């Protein structure tokens, strides 16, 4: 077993002091697609088991996670219950910003 990779992704044009964070923790391999509000892909592909990545943003994000049963998500340090966004073991949600808070909502 390899050690989990911890990575902070800072998309172009977004500085490291961005207010909100999306953290993805993958005990099992999962297919992941994350796009910004302009449709630019920030992540796309199969990530191996043990992956832990954090994206910092001041903008909304669209998130798709295959093998959602093998994934955990946190927004600003708070766990997200993927069950309400899951269909056929794929989770789809939109991280939107409201009144200074980042919240997940159905796509």
């Amino acid at each position: 077993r390899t050690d989990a990779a911890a990575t902070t992704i800072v998309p172009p044009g977004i500085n490291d002091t961005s207010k909100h964070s999306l953290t993805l923790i993958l005990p099992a391999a999962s297919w992941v697609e994350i796009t910004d509000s302009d449709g630019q892909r920030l992540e796309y592909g199969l990530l191996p088991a043990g992956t832990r990545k954090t994206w910092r943003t001041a903008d909304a994000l669209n998130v798709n996670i295959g093998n959602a049963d093998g994934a955990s998500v946190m927004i600003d340090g708070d766990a997200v219950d993927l069950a309400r966004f899951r269909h056929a073991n794929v989770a789809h949600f939109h991280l939107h910003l409201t009144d200074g808070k980042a919240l997940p909502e159905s796509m």
Side-chain angles (χ1 to χ4, degrees):
R1 183 181 159 198
T2 60
D3 292 329
T7 305
T8 298
I9 306 298
V10 181
I14 297 176
N15 65 35
D16 198 32
T17 61
S18 295
K19 188 170 187 175
H20 302 289
S21 65
L22 170 74
T23 300
L24 183 62
I25 303 160
L26 302 175
S30 298
W31 177 85
V32 175
E33 179 180 27
I34 300 175
T35 56
D36 65 15
S37 57
D38 294 328
Q40 179 181 348
R41 283 184 175 158
L42 307 179
E43 187 72 53
Y44 183 81
L46 182 64
L47 299 179
T51 297
R52 178 186 178 106
K53 285 190 172 186
T54 297
W55 294 264
R56 299 200 181 280
T57 186
D59 296 316
L61 299 174
N62 291 316
V63 180
N64 296 296
I65 303 168
N67 190 21
D69 289 339
S72 297
V73 173
M74 293 189 307
I75 295 175
D76 294 341
D78 295 325
V80 174
D81 180 7
L82 292 179
R84 66 186 190 142
F85 305 112
R86 186 176 19 229
H87 178 71
N89 202 22
V90 177
H92 305 276
F93 67 91
H94 176 74
L95 181 137
H96 74 279
L97 309 177
T98 302
D99 297 327
K101 290 187 170 191
L103 302 169
E105 69 179 11
S106 295
M107 291 175 65

